[in-house]
Amino acid sequence: MKIDRRSFMALMVGGAAGTALSPLPWKLTDDLSIWTQTWPWTPVPGQGSVSTVNSVSTLCPGGCGISVRKVGQRAVKIDGMKGYPGSDGGVCNLCQAGLQMLYGPTRVKMPLKRTGKRGQGKWQAISWDAAIAEVGGQLNRLRSEGQPHKMACINGSDQGTVPQLFQRFLKTFGSPNFFCTPSMGDSYQLTLKMMHGVSARVGFDIENADFVLSFGSGIIDGWGSSARMFKAKSHLKDKKGTLVQIEPRLSNTAAKADQWIPVKPGTESMLALGLAGVIINESLYNKKFVTKYSSGFDQFSQFVTTNFKIGNVARQTGVEKSKITALARKFARAQKPLALCGKGKGTTPGSMGEFFATHALNALVGNINRDGGVWALPESEYIKWPGPEIDEIASKGLKHDRIDGAGTRQYPHARYLLDRLPGVLNSGKDTILEVLFVADADPYYTLPSSRKVKEAFDKIPLIVSFSPWMNETAANADIILPDHSHLERYLDVPMPPGAQKPMIGLSRPVIAPQFDTRHVGDALILLANAVGGPVADGFPWNDYQACLKETMADKWNTLIEKGFWYEAGFTPPAWQHAFKTDSKKFEFVSDKINLKSIFAKITPEGDEKTFPLSLIPYDSIRLASGAIGDPPFVIKTVSDTILKGLDILVEINPETAKTLGLSEGKYAMLSTPEGQVKVKIHLFDGIMPDLIAMPRGLGHTAYDSYLANKGVNINALIGPVEDPVSGMNAAWGIRANLVKA
Amino acid sequence: MKQGHHPVKKYGMVIDLDKCTGCGACMVACMSENNVPFREDESNKQDSITWMKVYKLTNGKTYPDTEICYLPRPCQHCEGHDGHPPCVSVCPATATDYDKETGIVSQIYTRCFGCRYCMAACPYHARYFNWWDPIWPDGMEKYLNPNVSPRMRGVVEKCNLCFHRYQQARDKAIFEGRSEVAEEEYQTACAQACPAGAITFGDLNNPSHAVHQIVLPDNKHSGRPKNPHAFRLLEKLGTNPKIYYLSSREWVRRAGDNYLTGESGSSKTTSHG
C-alpha cells in the first residue's frame, strides 16, 4: 500500500491530536511520576503514638522552655513551651534546630582517646572505665607531686549543679583555677559589686520599660534570653514605647529601633557620660534617689561636667550636640526609662567604662530596682551542699594565686580572666597547667587571638573535653568523656541572663541516651572516686540524679510537674535596703571606683598608619557563636551577602569601598595585627565609613562539612585588650586594612 | 448528617513587619516540620529550598539614613480570579490544585513529574525544585515528621500552610463531634514558632479570627486589605494572595510592588505623602 506524503502527515497529525485529546498522555505522565518516585532510598518516617515532653533547651544561654513532639521514641519537632517564664512559647532558631544536634553525626558516641597529633582527628574508642582510670591516674599523679593547682577547668557558667560540681572538684582537689567563659554578666556583676556593694545578678524589667536606651545591645540580635527579648521588643512596639539604639552599624536591633544613633566604635561610654552631663546640668535626675540614696554624686557630677562637656563628646563620638541634648532630655523625662549595655549578644565583657556609665544613667533616672528598670537579684542559693573537707595537699594548692591573676593585687576585682590565660601560658617557661577540663564551652573557637590560644593550650599535657559534640576544643583534646546531649538528660537551668525574677528550669530527657555517653555529673563523680580520698568524700552521691534530686529538695516536685520553679511574686529590695556599700547607699564614686581609670578610652590594637581602618565584629541571630555552632538548618538561613560558597563577606560603606577601589562580591585581603585572611566584599550603607564589619560564628574547623571551613573566625583576627580596672577583655574591635586581592 | 451550607474558609496570614526580627526561626521551624532537605552548600539561594524565606529589604538610602526591613515569604496561596492561581493554571499533571474549601494551594508530590512550569509561572519564587535527592546525614532521618512525605529528586515542593496540621485538627474535631476547627487548633509551624509574634494565621473569612480583624480583607475587591498599613506582595498582578503584610513604614509598603517613578503608593485618590 502506498501512502503519499500528504496522507502520512494527515495520519501523524490526526493521530497526535487524537492521542492528546484522549486521557492517555495525561494518565501516562501521572503513572510515570508515581513509578519513578518509589525508589527505596527516600526515607519513609515511621508512625507511632504521639506524645509531648516539656524540657528546657540549653544550646544557648537563653534557656527557653521547649515542648518536644515525639512519635514513638523519636523526637520529631521542637516547639516553644507556653507559660515558661520569659520565653513563654518562644524558642530561638538555634534551639529549634536542636534535633539536628541531637541526632546528627557530630555527636561523640563514646569516650575517645587521641592517637595522632592534636587536632589531627585520629581517635581510639575506649571504655568509660579505661577513660576514667587514665584521667584519674593523671590527676592522682598531680596531687602526689603536690601540684594540684596545675589543674584548671573552663565551664560555660558558674551557676547550677554541674558548674558547681566542677568548682567543688577543683576545691577538694586543690586548685583555685575555675573559669567561667567571659560575658557581659561578668561586667554587670562587677558593676553591681562596686556601685551597690552586693554580690548580685543583673536583671532587666524590660517588659515594663517605656524608653529603652541601648548602647549596642542586640535586643533582637540575641542579647539576653533571645526569645524573651523578642517578645519584649514586640510588646514595646504594641504599647508605643521607644527604643533608641546606639552603635556604629545598623544591626537588626538598630533597624527596628525608633532611632538609630551611629557612634564611633569605642566611644559609647563617652556618649553615656555626655548624656549624664546634660541630665545633671539641666537637673533632670531623680532628686529623691540621688539625694537620699546615693553617695558621691557631687564628685561624679564634677568629673562628668568637667571632662565630658557636650562639645567634646560630640566631636569624639560623631553625634551632634543637639542630638545628645534631645536624647538626654527624652530619656530622663520618660516614665520608665531603662539603659542597657553589653554589645551584640553580650558575649564579651566589654569595658567597665561602658557598664559604669550605663548604670550611672540608670541611677540618675532612679530606675534601680523599680518597675521597668534594672534590678539587682540575689545570687541563686538553692545549692546548699555541706562544705567539702579540704586536705593538706588541697589546702596548699588553693593558697596559690589563680593563674589568670584574678583576685591578685594586679586584678583585685575580677573573678575570672579567661582571656588572659593564653598570654600567661605562653609567657611561662615551665608547664603552668598540667590538666584542663572543658565543659559547655569551646575556648579554642570563642577566645580572642585564636592562634595564641592554640599555642597556649598545646602546652597543656592533658586536655579533657566533656562535649557531646566534636567542636574545636573536643577536636584538640586528648580525652573526650562525652556528655549526653541536651535532650537526653536532667539538668537544672538557673536564671538566664537578664531574668528579673528568680527561677530554675528543669531540662529533662526527651529520649533515652542513644550512645555510650554519660552525664557530665556522673563522669565527675566517677573521676572523684578515681582520685579517692577527700576528693571522693566531697562527692558522696551515688550518681548525678541523686545529687540533683537531693539538691533541689522541696522544689523537685514542682520542677517535675511544671518544668520550672518561678518566684513570680519576687520584688527587688527597696532603696533603703538595696545597697550594702560602706555608705549603705548607691555609690557613684568610692575608694574602689577611680573615675579616671574607669572611663579611660580603650585603644584597639594596631597602628593607624599600617591599619587605617577598624574591624568590628557583629552578632547575627542566624550565626551561633558560642559553645555550639550552627546546625545545618540554621547555617542554611545565612544570607549570600554574608556567606557565599566557602567565602565570608565583610561589610563596608560604599564610600569607603570607592576610596579603596573595592567592589561588591570581589575578593580582598583583610589584615589586622593578629593575622591576614582573604574575604569578599559586601557594600552596605548601614555602617559608618572606614569601618569593616564581620560576623561572629563562621570559620569553624570542627563539626562536619555542613559548617566547617566556611568563612573566617573573627576571633582569629582580634586579640584581647585589658580593661584598666577589671582586666577583662574590653576590645571592641581592632585596627585593620583592606586591599584588593 | 445534616447537609448545610458551611462557610467557605480562606486560610491566610498577616505578617507584621514592624515586629519581624529577621531571626529566621520561621524558616527553621518550617524546615523541621516539613522534612525539608538541606545540602552542604546552601549559599546558592536560587536552588536553596526554603518554603518560608526571609527577604531583606532596604530603603536604598545612604548612610546614615539607611533602613532595612525583613520580610518572610511563604507560598502566597494566590486565589487569582475565583480559584485560578498562576501555578495551578499551568500544571500539566494537576499536581497542584486550588482547594475552594480552604483556599490552600496544594502540592501532590506523587503527581508531579518535575516540568517546573509552575516555577516559571509563580511570580513570588515560592516554588522549589528538588534537583538532587535529599541526604539526611547519618542518624538525622530519625527526626523526620511522619505527617509529611519526604520528597525525592525531580519534584517541585512549596509551602502548603502545614496542611497536615489542618487534616489532624479536622480529624480531631470530627472525632469530638464538631464540624469546625477552632482558631488555635490549626496554626502553621511558622506562626507558632515566631518568637516575636509577628505571624498571625487564621481564616480570613471568619470575623472572629485575628487575621481577619487585623487585615479586614475586602472580598468584593479581590481581597484588598482595608487596613491602611496592610499590603500584599505584587498586588498589581492580580494574584489575590492570602499572605498580608503590615508595616507602619511607607517605603516598606511600596517595596511590596513595582511602581513607576512618581506613581502614588495607594489606589486612593489622595496620598498622604
Side-chain angles (χ1 to χ4, degrees), chain A residues 596-670:
Chain A
K596 264 187 86 184
S597 308
I598 286 191
F599 298 117
K601 202 162 176 200
I602 303 289
T603 324
E605 243 185 283
D607 73 279
E608 289 192 29
K609 261 186 90 194
T610 327
F611 303 105
L613 307 167
S614 294
L615 171 67
I616 55 168
Y618 72 86
D619 283 324
S620 165
I621 189 82
R622 300 191 201 178
L623 281 170
S625 49
I628 309 283
D630 268 1
F633 275 161
V634 188
I635 190 87
K636 181 175 175 177
T637 67
V638 173
S639 163
D640 59 359
T641 57
I642 293 174
L643 176 68
K644 190 82 184 138
L646 297 177
D647 295 316
I648 192 173
L649 286 94
V650 297
E651 292 174 352
I652 53 170
N653 188 293
E655 287 305 312
T656 310
K658 217 158 75 181
T659 326
L660 298 171
L662 299 168
S663 27
E664 177 76 36
K666 295 286 191 292
Y667 281 114
M669 287 308 282
L670 169 64

Side-chain angles (χ1 to χ4, degrees), chain A residues 253-268:
Chain A
T253 310
K256 276 276 169 317
D258 297 280
Q259 188 183 12
W260 168 44
I261 297 184
V263 69
K264 294 206 185 107
T267 64
E268 292 85 359

